[in-house]
Structure formats: C-alpha cells, structure tokens
Amino acid sequence: MESTIGNATESEEELLEMERLHYKDIVEELNMRELEFQEEEEAYMAQQSFEHMQSNENQALQNKLRCPVCEKGDVHNLIYCTCCNMRLDIGDDKINLGFLRDRLVEVNNAHFDRGCKSTPKFCVETNGGTTALYIKCEVCSLYEVVF
C-alpha cells in the first residue's frame, strides 16, 4: 500500500512540476509577446515622429521662397527679402507666400509660353505711387506686374 501511496505522491509531484513548467512557459510567452508589442509600438511611434518631422520640414520649405529680385535671400510672409531691399506693402490684402509663389510660377510659365527662352528678371518699382513687383525681359520686351 505504501508503494501505491508513494507512486501516487510521485505522480502528483510530476504532474505539479509539469503544470508549473507549463505555466512558466505561458508566462514567458506572454512576456515575449509584451516585449514584441512594445517594440512594435516604439517602432510605430518612431515612424510617426519621423513623418511628423518630415511634414514640418516640408511645411517649412513651403513657407520659404527665394527672392526673385536678388535670388539670394528668402522672402517672408511680410513679403520682404532677407538679402536685398525688396519689400512689398501688402496692406490689408490677404496675400501670403503661397500666393506669391503661385504668381511667380504663373508669370514665368506665361513668359516661356510666349516662346522666349531668355531668363526674365524681377524688380520692385514704384509707378504712380504704387510699389509693385515686376517681371522684365529685355529679349522679348516683357514688362508686367507680378504682384
């Protein structure tokens, strides 16, 4: 009888050991999954942060415009150049760099669409008390208000 009790106790201990090892494996698996999840989350957050920084850089580039007059400085939202004396008074107009950029592209394209291959120049002049930015081309005699 004692050997039967001893065998039963041994079997119970083996079953308990197997159960303990099984739970240990489950805990290790859960810990591994948690670490994988954290790594994926960190990678996702890093990607989101990178994309946000890229977006901010692109936005910053969108908010910069090379001065068409001196081609060295940057034009700012107040429509002035950081390098030369180009400055435009926009008054109460709802003008921004995006509008000016689009207008510069428009007049440049119109110039080249006329068939002139010369590079036009830009200047700020005051005529009749109004200061404006002009596009000029000596080859095709273009002289037009940009803004």
Side-chain angles (χ1 to χ4, degrees):
M1 187 77 155
E2 251 179 63
S3 95
T4 308
I5 294 175
N7 285 342
T9 307
E10 230 176 81
S11 294
E12 284 179 14
E13 287 177 12
E14 286 176 4
L15 285 172
L16 287 172
E17 181 63 20
M18 287 173 56
E19 192 175 277
R20 187 185 65 75
L21 290 172
H22 179 69
Y23 284 124
K24 181 181 174 186
D25 288 344
I26 290 173
V27 168
E28 286 176 359
E29 177 70 22
L30 287 174
N31 287 338
M32 189 171 73
R33 286 185 183 180
E34 178 69 21
L35 284 174
E36 287 174 357
F37 175 76
Q38 287 175 352
E39 288 173 356
E40 288 174 5
E41 186 176 33
E42 287 174 6
Y44 174 78
M45 294 302 288
Q47 180 66 30
Q48 291 298 312
S49 178
F50 175 76
E51 288 174 5
H52 181 71
M53 288 180 357
Q54 288 292 95
S55 174
N56 286 343
E57 281 182 25
N58 290 340
Q59 184 65 31
L61 290 175
Q62 290 281 333
N63 290 332
K64 284 189 138 190
L65 178 65
R66 182 69 58 206
C67 177
V69 176
C70 70
E71 299 177 358
K72 295 176 186 169
D74 294 324
V75 177
H76 293 271
N77 272 334
L78 299 174
I79 316 295
Y80 71 94
C81 175
T82 58
C83 193
C84 70
N85 64 352
M86 197 276 293
R87 178 182 290 283
L88 298 172
D89 181 13
I90 60 172
D92 292 331
D93 294 340
K94 302 287 187 226
I95 304 300
N96 60 25
L97 290 180
F99 174 83
L100 180 57
R101 181 181 294 108
D102 293 344
R103 185 71 181 119
L104 288 168
V105 168
E106 183 182 316
V107 296
N108 259 313
N109 288 341
H111 173 251
F112 290 118
D113 287 346
R114 290 182 186 137
C116 185
K117 302 301 179 208
S118 178
T119 302
K121 300 288 182 197
F122 292 88
C123 63
V124 175
E125 294 181 2
T126 302
N127 291 326
T130 303
T131 302
L133 176 64
Y134 291 87
I135 183 172
K136 293 168 96 174
C137 179
E138 294 178 6
V139 174
C140 69
S141 301
L142 172 69
Y143 183 74
E144 183 180 325
V145 173
V146 174
F147 170 79

